Amino acid sequence: MTKDVIALTSKMPDPWAVLAGLLSGGPDKLVGTRGEGAVIQLCDPEGRPLVSVEAPLLVSVEGEAERLLGATAPPVPYWWTEARATTGVAEAEQLAGTFATRLASLVGGSAWPPDAAGSLAVVKTDGVSVAPEPAAAQPAIDVLTERVAVVIQDRPVVAMTAWLSDAFRAAAEAGLGLQVVSPAGATLSPAVRDALSGWPSRWIVQDERDGYYDGLTGAVLRWQNGMFAPVASPDATEDDPRTPVAATFQEVHDTGERQLALTFRMVHPADDRLVLGGGLETVWRELTGAPPAGWGTSEPATLPWSPRRLTDVAHERAPEPTWFVVVGNRDRPTLATVRITRTEAGVEEHVTLAFGYGSGEELPLDALPSAAEALATRHHLQSMLVQVRKARRDVAVPPRFEGPGVPLAFVLGAEEVRTMPGDRARRTPLAEQPVTLGPRTRPALYYPLPGDPSDLSGWQEYERLMRHLKGA
């Protein structure tokens, strides 16, 4: 049974329904709280948590339960209540299942996963206890060593949930890496992939043939010296520390699906009238004909798209940086992450955005120059890189090799063009010269690149362009 159980209900769980769920362990079970009351815990006799229940989320964005759980949710808005059982305690898993079942029965809805739904009877937990702290100190962390924190995620999509976000934060504050373990067949949200870039953080996938491997690199892993680390090949040397690659990771099937990926950075003057998210919405509309569907500070995205509300959250958290996830509708799978920081230059928005397309769908390549021009003239664009890659339409990251993206275009903002000496920005070593965007007195420049997913020469051209612009 999964460690995470979720109740999807059409009505908000009222206090009596939550209490009935908490009594799934009997009337004498200890109850504690964390996070200023945002998390309620059923505890063992020593006060250590068996099940942690997070405050219900009101989800007003269609498709999030389908995207992250493969489940059918009530019509929006609906309530998403997560219960996480302590790892390795069967009774804790039963408690979580019974809690979610009782909640769904009382307020109307269903429990995910379906096989986690337990009976409504009290779960016998007499004599059951869990690991002492510090392993149990953070509800989302299953194993804690001097080097890493390990989180086990038995979900179809490993997403940047509030639980996992807290685990990343706790690990970072302790100077530890975070290693996420998932079963074979699970995929990774792009929002989590971007957070696993620093060693020794990894996505670890369980595998029948090789035991464990890194879902992003394919390196075969073993638990050694307090963390999952690569296994050395028999013919490895000190100068050439080769690592075997899992056979499952190398099983690649070209389905014809592709992604259009954009990474761009904007720097806005710090102003009380500033509204963030406008650049992202502009690109979204140019390439899909519609605005984003929703956003949030974790997954699932719970709020309908609103640049004003997004700006308010970022303003409240300033000068600390703010991270957001933004999602599209089911007709055009799209996911973006936005990081907003306050710097000496102003307010910076760094956006990573991916649109998914099926084998028979055309990419909106003709709309790219107009999207770039809108960013450059209205949203203080500094730079943008556009790539096309062979990857899944649903934009989830599989634990298999996906080829690198190939550059389609690079855009240099007007301010960067202005500060570049001479006519270096306009005269490049590329076969195709840049296209001027915006007014000629203050232009941005759009550099077309080969962009053929079957030909990596696009990266060579991109590197030539970068060396030229840097004066190398």
Side-chain angles (χ1 to χ4, degrees):
M1 186 181 294
T2 183
K3 305 298 184 297
D4 298 337
V5 182
I6 300 169
L8 304 172
T9 59
S10 54
K11 297 180 182 178
M12 179 180 178
D14 58 71
W16 290 111
V18 174
L19 178 60
L22 293 173
L23 289 173
S24 58
D28 57 345
K29 191 58 57 187
L30 296 177
V31 176
T33 61
R34 290 179 62 89
E36 299 179 353
V39 178
I40 301 175
Q41 296 177 318
L42 288 172
C43 304
D44 68 4
E46 302 300 322
R48 296 185 292 258
L50 288 164
V51 176
S52 299
V53 180
E54 190 152 283
L57 298 173
L58 179 62
V59 179
S60 299
V61 181
E62 291 186 351
E64 285 297 87
E66 291 82 353
R67 178 176 74 91
L68 299 175
L69 304 176
T72 301
V76 294
Y78 61 89
W79 294 87
W80 177 305
T81 308
E82 293 206 18
R84 180 172 176 82
T86 296
T87 303
V89 182
E91 292 83 357
E93 297 175 14
Q94 295 173 27
L95 276 174
T98 300
F99 169 84
T101 301
R102 287 188 174 192
L103 209 60
S105 299
L106 289 170
V107 297
S110 60
W112 177 91
D115 60 1
S119 72
L120 301 179
V122 171
V123 178
K124 294 182 180 180
T125 57
D126 295 342
V128 173
S129 62
V130 299
E133 293 192 5
Q138 167 58 250
I141 293 176
D142 297 291
V143 178
L144 193 64
T145 74
E146 294 181 352
R147 307 182 73 178
V148 298
V150 179
V151 175
I152 299 172
Q153 290 277 279
D154 191 1
R155 298 184 181 220
V157 179
V158 179
M160 187 60 83
T161 61
W163 296 110
L164 194 55
S165 179
D166 287 344
F168 270 109
R169 188 178 303 110
E173 290 175 353
L176 304 174
L178 187 75
Q179 299 192 332
V180 181
V181 181
S182 69
T187 60
L188 193 69
S189 167
V192 180
R193 175 187 58 195
D194 297 341
L196 288 172
S197 58
W199 182 89
S201 297
R202 294 181 185 274
W203 175 30
I204 295 104
V205 180
Q206 295 175 320
D207 183 63
E208 290 184 356
R209 287 178 284 184
D210 291 295
Y212 297 93
Y213 69 92
D214 189 310
L216 299 178
T217 68
V220 176
L221 306 172
R222 294 288 183 273
W223 182 261
Q224 45 193 330
N225 299 321
M227 67 177 185
F228 283 98
V231 175
S233 295
D235 56 350
T237 65
E238 192 170 321
D239 295 330
D240 186 10
R242 301 177 186 176
T243 298
V245 176
T248 303
F249 183 80
Q250 300 178 66
E251 295 175 348
V252 180
H253 305 286
D254 187 358
T255 63
E257 296 181 334
R258 292 168 295 170
Q259 291 177 13
L260 184 63
L262 295 82
T263 304
F264 54 97
R265 182 167 171 261
M266 299 164 288
V267 180
H268 310 280
D271 190 303
D272 290 339
R273 296 169 296 176
L274 173 63
V275 177
L276 300 166
L280 175 59
E281 179 176 337
T282 295
V283 171
W284 213 295
R285 286 183 181 275
E286 289 282 349
L287 299 182
T288 69
W295 70 284
T297 55
S298 62
E299 293 179 285
T302 58
L303 301 168
W305 176 245
S306 170
R308 173 56 65 184
R309 293 189 66 183
L310 183 149
T311 302
D312 290 343
V313 172
H315 182 74
E316 290 170 2
R317 295 186 176 186
E320 295 299 316
T322 305
W323 179 93
F324 300 110
V325 61
V326 184
V327 298
N329 57 47
R330 284 173 283 189
D331 296 334
R332 174 60 58 218
T334 310
L335 188 140
T337 58
V338 183
R339 183 173 178 82
I340 297 170
T341 54
R342 181 67 184 270
T343 67
E344 293 181 359
V347 180
E348 296 191 11
E349 276 187 274
H350 189 278
V351 179
T352 301
L353 171 62
F355 300 91
Y357 297 87
S359 59
E361 296 178 301
E362 292 293 328
L363 276 64
L365 304 184
D366 293 343
L368 287 173
S370 60
E373 184 164 25
L375 283 177
T377 56
R378 303 204 305 264
H379 299 287
H380 302 94
L381 177 71
Q382 282 209 328
S383 63
M384 178 169 71
L385 176 63
V386 183
Q387 302 175 58
V388 62
R389 57 196 305 260
K390 294 180 180 180
R392 292 168 57 120
R393 184 181 187 272
D394 63 7
V395 305
V397 181
R400 287 177 172 79
F401 176 77
E402 286 189 321
V406 178
L408 280 174
F410 178 74
V411 184
L412 198 62
E415 182 63 20
E416 283 60 46
V417 172
R418 185 188 69 81
T419 57
M420 199 161 289
D423 59 354
R424 182 190 300 166
R426 294 171 179 80
R427 296 183 180 274
T428 74
L430 304 181
E432 195 170 350
Q433 292 305 300
V435 177
T436 299
L437 304 177
R440 292 190 175 276
T441 55
R442 189 179 171 81
L445 294 177
Y446 181 97
Y447 301 88
L449 294 164
D452 182 355
S454 62
D455 183 0
L456 295 182
S457 65
W459 278 115
Q460 297 171 357
E461 292 293 281
Y462 174 71
E463 290 170 358
R464 286 179 64 199
L465 175 62
M466 293 299 101
R467 287 196 299 267
H468 170 78
L469 294 178
K470 294 175 181 177

